[in-house]
């Protein structure tokens, strides 16, 4: 990924932290985006310690009006963004009947509206510059088995990825999604600590995934090797869920 510029949202923790380091190790310059500067700075320091290049940019995905402006500013500062990884997301437990409107708005804003805005703004600059690009949206394997509101939103992320892939194929912009199963991340840490036996023992291989087991999937979707691949959702779940 030498000479490529990547932007990763939610880069301060969890899968985003891993994705940023993997892209940097492959030679990309990486813009680390998130709400907590201190966490982003830690990731940047780890990347630069390994001779990678990383830039820290605080970004609140809930503030929709500022996102086009920020993408324009980042493009002016660093150049065209070749790779966008829409990783950031939040979860909500409980049933649809229990969900408060404010919680639903935040879920929608972070998990669907922001990825759409960032994708369209990055694509807008790529198209204007006549450059190809790669956009990867993080969904969830639960999107294929809608059990609660969080994964229903992720199902929309998959359909959005398919629609944008068709619209931008003529411009050389590939849009794909990744649907991870149960992985060991900061988001799942508390539940796994409390309910590991119940959550893991039911799985065919009785294990949760490790973040590094997504490395090859991400690198495939952002590299020249996947030039002919767009509009798909790659399911990475160790056969944890039924087909």
């Amino acid at each position: 990924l030498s000479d490529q510029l990547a932007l990763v949202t939610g880069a301060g923790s969890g899968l985003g932290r891993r994705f940023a380091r993997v892209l940097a190790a492959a030679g990309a310059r990486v813009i680390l985006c998130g709400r907590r500067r201190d966490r982003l700075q830690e990731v940047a320091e780890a990347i630069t310690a390994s001779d990678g290049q990383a830039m820290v940019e605080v970004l609140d995905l809930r503030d929709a009006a500022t996102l086009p402006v920020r993408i324009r500013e980042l493009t002016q500062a660093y150049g065209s963004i070749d790779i966008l990884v829409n990783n950031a997301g939040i979860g909500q437990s409980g049933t649809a009947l229990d969900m408060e409107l404010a919680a639903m708005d935040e879920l929608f804003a972070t998990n669907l509206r922001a990825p759409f805005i960032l994708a369209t703004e990055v694509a807008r600059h790529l198209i204007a510059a006549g450059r190809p690009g790669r956009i990867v949206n993080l969904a969830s394997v639960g999107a294929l088995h809608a059990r609660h509101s969080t994964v229903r939103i992720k199902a929309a992320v998959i359909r959005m990825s398919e629609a944008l892939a068709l619209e931008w194929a003529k411009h050389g912009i590939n849009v794909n999604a990744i649907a991870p199963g149960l992985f060991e991340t900061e988001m799942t840490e508390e539940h796994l600590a409390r309910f590991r036996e119940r959550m893991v023992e039911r799985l065919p291989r009785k294990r949760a995934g490790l973040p590094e087991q997504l490395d090859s999937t991400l690198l495939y979707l952002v590299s020249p090797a996947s030039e002919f691949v767009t509009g798909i959702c790659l399911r990475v779940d160790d056969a944890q869920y039924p087909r």
Side-chain angles (χ1 to χ4, degrees):
L1 303 178
S2 298
D3 301 320
Q4 298 281 294
L5 177 63
L7 186 154
V8 180
T9 65
S13 63
L15 294 179
R17 175 190 292 256
R18 179 71 190 183
F19 291 158
R21 296 188 66 171
V22 167
L23 293 172
R29 295 181 296 136
V30 184
I31 303 172
L32 310 173
C33 290
R35 285 189 281 177
R36 294 184 54 180
R37 181 177 293 277
D38 57 332
R39 300 293 297 273
L40 297 172
Q41 195 60 49
E42 290 175 8
V43 181
E45 290 170 2
I47 288 173
T48 54
S50 300
D51 298 323
Q53 299 181 66
M55 296 77 76
V56 170
E57 295 288 344
V58 175
L59 189 67
D60 187 346
L61 298 181
R62 299 168 299 181
D63 191 352
T66 67
L67 296 181
V69 177
R70 295 291 283 125
I71 292 299
R72 184 168 64 250
E73 291 172 346
L74 295 176
T75 301
Q76 291 171 347
Y78 304 118
S80 291
I81 297 167
D82 304 291
I83 298 166
L84 169 65
V85 181
N86 274 317
N87 163 77
I90 60 173
Q92 294 283 352
S93 58
T95 67
L97 294 177
D98 294 330
M99 180 166 285
E100 298 288 340
L101 182 58
M104 186 64 195
D105 284 345
E106 185 175 15
L107 190 68
F108 170 78
T110 305
N111 291 7
L112 183 61
R113 186 179 67 190
F116 175 79
I117 295 172
L118 293 179
T120 54
E121 292 305 316
V122 166
R124 191 185 313 281
H125 288 278
L126 287 171
I127 292 167
R131 296 172 62 94
R134 297 285 191 274
I135 297 173
V136 178
N137 297 315
L138 262 289
S140 166
V141 72
L144 308 172
H145 306 279
R147 296 177 180 176
H148 52 79
S149 298
T150 301
V151 295
R152 284 194 286 270
I153 293 288
K154 289 296 189 179
V157 169
I158 294 173
R159 296 299 286 169
M160 177 187 77
S161 303
E162 293 169 344
L164 296 181
L166 291 175
E167 183 173 332
W168 298 334
K170 62 187 176 184
H171 299 294
I173 299 171
N174 289 19
V175 186
N176 294 293
I178 299 175
L182 178 63
F183 274 76
E184 303 260 7
T185 69
E186 291 180 34
M187 186 175 285
T188 61
E189 184 177 27
E190 182 179 347
H191 278 82
L192 282 171
R194 295 172 59 193
F195 309 114
R196 175 172 291 275
E197 185 174 354
R198 188 172 76 190
M199 294 173 69
V200 174
E201 286 303 309
R202 65 175 179 79
L203 302 176
R205 294 180 177 174
K206 303 188 187 313
R207 64 181 183 179
L210 300 175
E212 55 265 32
Q213 290 172 311
L214 285 168
D215 292 359
S216 59
T217 301
L218 175 68
L219 288 173
Y220 172 63
L221 291 178
V222 301
S223 73
S226 63
E227 181 188 8
F228 207 69
V229 178
T230 189
I232 70 164
C233 177
L234 269 177
R235 181 175 186 156
V236 188
D237 76 339
D238 202 38
Q240 292 172 353
Y241 294 89
R243 270 41 184 175

